[in-house]
């Protein structure tokens, strides 16, 4: 049994949600340009044999060309909905994770403070699925806004003036069904990432502390633990992330039943299969370098900031001097 690293009264779900949302908002400001690069690389040469025409060579080329042709605005496309999405996703993921994990432990007759691999993975996947479901409309418009380029377009192009314009345009054209498009892919992606993010972070942190490598409340402990977590998330989540980007950005058609549906893919499994057939396994990992450039600092900042914010909040709440 591990010794719990946090002291004092545990955070409530609402407190954890707010602290997690603030931490994620700080992180996304830094990581959003890499998300733009990742999105465009994932859509480049979509379902084209031999890779199709390459607009961008690599992640650095995306940064360079986007800065040259679109400026800072281009590198930060989709930032407003990204803020709202991160608050919902990571507020849920970080806020619900501990209550889920502790209750699962109790259900199995174990101590709530014990770090069990099974309950940690289940809690991570479940809390991530909740966040992905709540934030799906925001991730949808974020992906479309990030893919849009007036100079070097890749994939289907959707031009929206603002987040509100995007949401209203989709709702008018497709109804509420359009706003939940790709939610199955979002749940798959986020559940896979969340199932390893916090468990790998907590496992690494416990290992460092229990073996007296680093102190419990050191920023270096948070940094090292979140670095390992970021690498694990990127490895596990990349294929599902590519499927999600393509599901969100695909053009829509009206079917025989009068409903709008994706013109290219029926579901994330269909997307992964078609991508594999035409582009091979490499197609699943398009944009993986940009994904790591995004997920590493994002995970490091989110989890490090979350721990620091929680410690500061607990100190203030509990009246510690």
């Amino acid at each position: 049994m591990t010794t719990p690293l946090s002291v004092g009264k545990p955070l409530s779900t609402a407190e954890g949600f707010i602290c997690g949302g603030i931490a994620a908002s700080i992180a996304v400001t830094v990581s959003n340009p890499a998300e733009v690069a990742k999105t465009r690389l994932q859509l480049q040469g979509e379902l084209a044999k031999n890779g199709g025409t390459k607009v961008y060579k690599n992640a650095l080329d995306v940064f360079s060309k986007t800065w040259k042709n679109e400026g800072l605005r281009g590198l930060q496309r989709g930032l407003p909905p990204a803020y709202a999405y991160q608050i919902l996703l990571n507020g849920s993921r970080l806020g619900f994770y501990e209550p889920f994990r502790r209750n699962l432990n109790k259900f199995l007759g174990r101590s709530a403070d014990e770090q069990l691999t099974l309950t940690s993975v289940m809690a991570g996947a479940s809390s991530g699925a909740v966040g992905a479901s709540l934030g799906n409309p925001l991730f949808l418009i974020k992906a479309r806004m990030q893919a849009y380029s007036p100079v070097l377009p890749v994939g289907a192009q959707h031009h929206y003036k603002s987040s509100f314009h995007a949401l209203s345009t989709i709702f008018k054209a497709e109804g509420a069904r359009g706003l939940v498009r790709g939610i199955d892919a979002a749940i798959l992606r986020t559940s896979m990432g969340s199932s390893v993010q916090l468990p790998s972070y907590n496992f690494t942190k416990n290992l460092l502390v229990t073996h007296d490598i680093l102190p419990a409340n050191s920023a270096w402990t948070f940094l090292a633990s979140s670095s390992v977590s970021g690498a694990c998330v990127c490895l596990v989540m990349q294929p599902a992330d590519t499927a999600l980007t393509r599901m969100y950005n695909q053009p829509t058609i009206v079917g025989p039943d009068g409903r709008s549906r994706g013109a290219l893919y029926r579901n994330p499994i269909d997307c992964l299969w078609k991508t594999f057939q035409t582009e091979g396994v490499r197609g699943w990992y398009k944009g993986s370098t940009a994904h790591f450039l995004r997920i590493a600092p994002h995970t490091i900042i989110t989890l490090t900031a979350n721990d620091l914010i929680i410690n500061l909040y607990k100190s203030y709440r509990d009246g510690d001097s």
Side-chain angles (χ1 to χ4, degrees):
M1 181 183 296
T2 59
T3 302
L5 300 179
S6 59
V7 294
K9 179 184 174 184
L11 294 183
S12 68
T13 301
E15 289 170 330
F17 187 100
I18 293 170
C19 290
I22 294 171
S25 295
I26 296 170
V28 77
T29 307
V30 177
S31 65
N32 194 64
E35 179 84 358
V36 172
K38 174 188 72 70
T39 299
R40 295 182 179 186
L41 287 169
Q42 286 174 332
L43 294 171
Q44 179 171 258
E46 184 175 14
L47 297 185
K49 288 188 179 295
N50 302 318
T53 303
K54 282 195 173 183
V55 177
Y56 304 109
K57 298 176 184 176
N58 49 50
L60 295 179
D61 193 43
V62 180
F63 291 140
S64 175
K65 288 179 178 176
T66 302
W67 173 259
K68 180 180 178 180
N69 293 296
E70 304 171 52
L72 182 62
R73 183 179 181 181
L75 288 173
Q76 289 289 18
R77 285 194 188 277
L79 186 59
Y83 279 134
Y85 174 75
Q86 287 299 327
I87 290 171
L88 284 172
L89 173 65
N90 283 294
S92 299
R93 186 154 57 184
L94 298 173
F96 294 143
Y97 173 76
E98 275 301 312
F100 283 178
R101 186 189 65 77
R102 294 171 73 87
N103 282 306
L104 284 169
N105 277 11
K106 291 177 182 177
F107 178 76
L108 295 176
R110 307 293 286 268
S111 168
D113 293 323
E114 188 174 358
Q115 295 287 340
L116 300 174
T117 302
L118 176 62
T119 58
S120 295
V121 170
M122 289 176 64
S126 300
S127 59
V130 171
S133 300
L134 292 174
N136 189 75
L138 294 164
F139 201 115
L140 169 67
I141 63 172
K142 178 185 73 70
R144 291 184 176 185
M145 292 172 81
Q146 289 172 334
Y148 174 74
S149 173
V151 182
L152 296 172
V154 290
Q157 295 288 285
H158 307 270
H159 184 210
Y160 303 121
K161 298 176 183 177
S162 66
S163 299
F164 292 109
H165 178 241
L167 291 169
S168 62
T169 299
I170 295 170
F171 183 78
K172 288 176 183 177
E174 305 175 51
R177 185 184 180 91
L179 295 175
V180 296
R181 181 177 304 285
I183 193 171
D184 49 355
I187 291 173
L188 174 65
R189 169 195 179 270
T190 309
S191 295
M192 290 176 70
S194 298
S195 68
V196 298
Q197 185 189 46
L198 287 173
S200 60
Y201 176 78
N202 287 330
F203 175 80
T204 305
K205 187 164 71 168
N206 274 310
L207 193 67
L208 293 172
V209 173
T210 54
H211 287 77
D212 295 322
I213 299 173
L214 289 170
N217 292 321
S218 166
W220 290 109
T221 305
F222 305 149
L223 182 64
S225 302
S226 50
S227 298
V228 172
S229 177
C232 292
V233 170
C234 188
L235 180 66
V236 170
M237 197 169 68
Q238 176 66 28
D241 188 76
T242 298
L244 177 64
T245 298
R246 294 186 172 191
M247 287 281 292
Y248 276 157
N249 198 65
Q250 68 176 323
T252 58
I253 57 174
V254 178
D257 57 359
R259 291 183 175 182
S260 295
R261 63 186 184 190
L264 302 177
Y265 315 109
R266 295 190 302 274
N267 52 56
I269 304 303
D270 184 50
C271 178
L272 288 170
W273 176 243
K274 287 179 177 177
T275 300
F276 174 75
Q277 285 183 310
T278 55
E279 303 169 57
V281 174
R282 290 184 64 182
W284 290 351
Y285 285 89
K286 277 187 175 179
S288 56
T289 301
H291 191 193
F292 183 75
L293 291 176
R294 179 255 170 194
I295 203 71
H298 186 88
T299 303
I300 290 168
I301 295 170
T302 298
L303 296 179
T304 303
N306 186 61
D307 261 342
L308 293 172
I309 290 168
I310 286 175
N311 285 338
L312 286 172
Y313 174 70
K314 280 187 173 182
S315 178
Y316 170 78
R317 183 196 64 184
D318 299 337
D320 294 342
S321 57

